[in-house]
Amino acid sequence: RHWPPSLAQARQLCGWVGSLPPLRVGPPFSGGHAASVRQLAAGMAASGGGGGPVPQLALEENTPTVTISADELRAASAIFRTLGKQALASVIARLESRRIERGQVLREPGCLLLLREGCARREDSEEVDDHSQAEFRPGCVLGEAAVLGLEEASVTCSTVVVAESQCLALVLRRSAFLEALEGHQEDSEAFSRLQLEAFPARIPNAPAHLQLRKSLKSAVVFQNCDYGFLDHLAAQLEDCFLAPGEALPSFGPDGCAAVYFVAAGPVQVEGEDSALLRVAKAGDIIGEALAVGIEGAQDLVARAGPKRVAYCMRLTTTALLGALHIHPEEHLPLEELIREQEMKRIEAAKERYEWIAKMATPAVGRTPLLAGCPEAFLSAVAGYTTEATFA
């Protein structure tokens, strides 16, 4: 029905032609290539194909091959930015092309999907407080958690995304991703603890938003919140992965400060001169003080550790304020608790800065390796030191 045929169909066609009795080949068949194929197929059926049954010729149009460069792939997802050159090349070799018609669902279980052409939208877009989360354009990635085996921990993976036009996409199956990592130990280790940390106390057979509700309830700032409010927050969370050393975006898609829930870390929180203030681990919250407008809140940088991928879930300010609008009784108690926690962190940061200046920097400057280095360099090195006592 369609021309040209695929390579496999062409080989099958050649096999059938070889089984036919000699044909007199004169002028080309009328009607062009498509008509030629139809006449040849009819001749094969009439001849019996050498005495045996003749399979029906099916010339179906194939999905166009979708190509992508290594740089484009790295730009699309932190998962790919984590991989070395060889591991990434192995991933590219395992990507599959997909064509999704308008109205079809984009997601495939256990798969990452990178949209190359077309547009899509969340089926429940009217229920999303921040509508910037509801639209998907070329370059968007769906199913990062799924390809990492974190599908049950992710609300993002449970949302239904429907094509608004014909779409072309690249698909990476989890099995293919694991195959690509074989023989690349350093790349594999960057993802090794994600599942262990993202499922610390899993509720059997519970949907993702209930798992997240329990996790949010364990965070200090949300410990007194009503379950209805936490359900609303959990439904608005979106996945955010960081390659080793990458910083969390200071602002969400809505252009405002965002709150981050750490699902699997560690995430290093840095202050002035990149001084390490604390290490946020699974279950910790980052950025809540700026999101609710606490006066004097610290504007800090949070980044993944140097060797491992970090998995966070982002709650935009728009989504947080939308939840507080529905649950106004939560606003003042939550704001007060966040303010209290922020004051403690500011005080801890002052003590940390003082220790770096008076203790760590001079000590680092006295080491044979760094003696004589500029003060600013010594201070930067000291900012990542910690104090330990040995018996």
Side-chain angles (χ1 to χ4, degrees):
R1 289 186 292 112
H2 302 280
W3 192 268
S6 69
L7 180 60
Q9 291 166 339
R11 288 172 176 168
Q12 186 181 26
L13 184 60
C14 290
W16 287 336
V17 170
S19 67
L20 294 176
L23 294 175
R24 178 177 177 276
V25 179
F29 291 117
S30 61
H33 293 296
S36 301
V37 172
R38 287 194 294 270
Q39 292 183 39
L40 181 57
M44 289 161 52
S47 69
V54 180
Q56 185 176 1
L57 186 64
L59 298 178
E60 296 184 358
E61 187 174 0
N62 294 322
T63 300
T65 301
V66 183
T67 59
I68 192 169
S69 68
D71 288 341
E72 288 176 305
L73 207 55
R74 288 191 178 99
S77 171
I79 295 174
F80 303 126
R81 292 192 292 276
T82 302
L83 300 177
K85 185 176 181 180
Q86 292 182 341
L88 186 61
S90 186
V91 164
I92 291 175
R94 289 168 169 80
L95 293 173
E96 303 174 18
S97 299
R98 284 285 187 281
R99 181 176 57 206
I100 303 101
E101 300 297 339
R102 182 179 179 181
Q104 290 183 334
V105 176
L106 268 70
R107 295 195 184 281
E108 291 189 32
C111 296
L112 176 149
L113 185 145
L114 171 59
L115 190 60
R116 296 293 282 166
E117 294 182 16
C119 57
R121 175 175 288 274
R122 284 180 56 157
E123 191 175 51
D124 61 347
S125 58
E126 296 303 320
E127 301 175 17
V128 180
D129 294 328
D130 181 6
H131 290 286
S132 62
Q133 301 180 41
E135 298 178 356
F136 297 87
R137 302 289 177 184
C140 288
V141 174
L142 296 85
E144 289 173 296
V147 83
L148 295 176
L150 302 170
E151 204 159 8
E152 295 181 8
S154 169
V155 171
T156 304
C157 282
S158 66
T159 57
V160 178
V161 179
V162 179
E164 290 195 312
S165 64
Q166 187 183 82
C167 298
L168 291 179
L170 289 169
V171 172
L172 176 64
R173 300 180 184 278
R174 174 162 170 75
S175 58
F177 179 67
L178 295 177
E179 287 175 5
L181 291 181
E182 291 179 1
H184 304 283
Q185 183 177 356
E186 187 175 344
D187 297 288
S188 299
E189 288 178 353
F191 303 95
S192 61
R193 293 184 59 84
L194 287 177
Q195 287 184 309
L196 181 64
E197 294 185 6
F199 298 106
R202 189 180 180 282
I203 305 172
N205 302 317
H209 80 276
L210 291 183
Q211 307 278 3
L212 290 175
R213 184 182 72 178
K214 179 179 179 181
S215 298
L216 289 173
K217 188 73 171 177
S218 66
V220 175
V221 295
F222 295 126
Q223 62 185 0
N224 298 325
C225 292
D226 179 74
Y227 279 119
F229 175 67
L230 295 179
D231 280 340
H232 195 107
L233 292 184
Q236 306 292 324
L237 292 172
E238 56 180 348
D239 292 340
C240 180
F241 288 88
L242 297 176
E246 280 188 348
L248 282 169
S250 300
F251 302 98
D254 58 354
C256 300
V259 181
Y260 292 94
F261 172 75
V262 181
V267 175
Q268 299 174 167
V269 181
E270 303 171 357
E272 298 174 7
D273 299 322
S274 300
L276 179 63
L277 299 182
R278 62 188 176 99
V279 177
K281 299 179 181 179
D284 288 345
I285 304 291
I286 299 172
E288 69 278 16
L290 284 174
V292 298
I294 299 297
E295 187 176 353
Q298 302 175 96
D299 188 3
L300 306 175
V301 174
R303 68 176 72 250
K307 294 183 178 181
R308 288 168 49 198
V309 171
Y311 176 27
C312 298
M313 298 180 186
R314 178 170 56 206
L315 179 69
T316 65
T317 297
T318 301
L320 176 58
L321 295 179
L324 289 172
H325 179 73
I326 297 173
H327 302 271
E329 71 283 357
E330 300 286 351
H331 199 153
L332 289 179
L334 180 62
E335 185 175 326
E336 186 58 35
L337 188 53
I338 291 176
R339 180 180 289 106
E340 179 184 329
Q341 290 297 308
E342 183 65 11
M343 293 304 106
K344 290 180 180 179
R345 289 174 179 170
I346 290 174
E347 189 60 33
K350 288 179 180 178
E351 294 178 2
R352 171 73 175 163
Y353 293 141
E354 184 177 354
W355 180 82
I356 291 172
K358 294 183 178 180
M359 299 290 293
T361 301
V364 169
R366 288 193 296 268
T367 61
L369 179 63
L370 300 176
C373 290
E375 187 74 13
F377 176 75
L378 294 175
S379 179
V381 172
Y384 269 81
T385 59
T386 56
E387 191 173 24
T389 302
F390 298 93

